[in-house]
Amino acid sequence: MAVMQQELTLGEAADQLARALPGHRVEILQGRLTVTPPPDGSHALSLSWLVVQFHMAGARKAGLRYVQGVGLWLPTLPEDFAIPDFSVVDEDFRDAHVTKNHYAPDVFRMVVEVTSSNWSDDLGPKVECYAQAGVSAYLIADRKHGEVLLYQDPADGKYPDPVRYKRGQSVPVPESVGVSLELSVDTLLDGDD
């Protein structure tokens, strides 16, 4: 009996993994397939808290939306995409649909990642990918190292060194995002306010 083998593209493999692993986040970063397990409770609470904070800061009235788990098409390689934990996007972001659930990077004002077991992706490839995509602000709640990093204003596809915030401090949301807001480092890291 002959067995037929079919090679999958990276995108097809990502689709198959996403179907096989419900609740996991499947991304392609710099041509590499990554899979992140579902978030823990503190991670989920941090994201819920961000929704409330941006709502109270008037993001909707400022013409912005805040979304979780929406794909960001990356210009790094043809099949590259990321799914940030939390994003602040232009109100009409759905008009910038590229493919599947991925949207053009120019509608993303800020992306936020709360680190999990794949913390090295958030601190490495995603910094490079988001900078190359021109995302003006990238905030990382680095639970592995107990700090929050804010990258902003990429130039020539690179972010300058991040501003680092420690426990007890607050992170000012950059003006480029479009709302005035200070975010507690402790709440970003722990999910409790």
Side-chain angles (χ1 to χ4, degrees):
M1 169 158 84
V3 176
M4 292 183 59
Q5 266 186 322
Q6 175 186 357
E7 286 194 33
L8 300 175
T9 67
L10 206 48
E12 292 167 339
D15 290 343
Q16 283 190 5
L17 272 173
R19 283 191 300 275
L21 299 170
H24 288 68
R25 184 164 296 178
V26 177
E27 302 169 296
I28 302 174
L29 304 172
Q30 298 173 326
R32 184 175 57 90
L33 192 58
T34 68
V35 179
T36 306
D40 62 24
S42 295
H43 185 285
L45 286 171
S46 293
L47 299 180
S48 296
W49 176 77
L50 282 169
V51 169
V52 172
Q53 296 306 301
F54 277 90
H55 176 75
M56 290 184 350
R60 291 290 306 269
K61 290 179 183 170
L64 303 170
R65 299 289 222 152
Y66 29 90
V67 294
Q68 296 180 42
V70 170
L72 189 162
W73 177 81
L74 297 168
T76 45
L77 290 171
E79 295 188 286
D80 280 5
F81 68 93
I83 304 174
D85 289 328
F86 180 88
S87 302
V88 178
V89 294
D90 293 339
E91 186 173 48
D92 61 353
F93 78 98
R94 288 175 284 192
D95 294 340
H97 181 256
V98 176
T99 183
K100 299 179 186 173
N101 75 330
H102 312 141
Y103 297 86
D106 62 331
V107 298
F108 287 78
R109 300 280 188 99
M110 181 169 96
V111 296
V112 178
E113 299 285 3
V114 177
T115 62
S116 298
S117 58
N118 68 333
W119 57 270
S120 61
D121 285 334
D122 295 336
L123 297 172
K126 286 190 178 181
V127 173
E128 295 170 10
C129 290
Y130 292 153
Q132 290 171 2
V135 175
S136 66
Y138 174 32
L139 184 101
I140 307 168
D142 181 2
R143 300 188 304 165
K144 170 85 173 161
H145 301 100
E147 64 181 353
V148 172
L149 291 83
L150 177 60
Y151 289 91
Q152 54 187 326
D153 303 323
D156 299 321
K158 294 183 190 280
Y159 286 116
D161 288 340
V163 179
R164 296 174 182 273
Y165 297 89
K166 302 292 183 194
R167 289 189 176 278
Q169 294 181 307
S170 292
V171 181
V173 171
E175 286 183 26
S176 63
V177 175
V179 293
S180 179
L181 178 61
E182 300 260 334
L183 300 171
S184 160
V185 168
D186 294 316
T187 307
L188 284 165
L189 294 173
D190 303 331
D192 293 321
D193 52 354

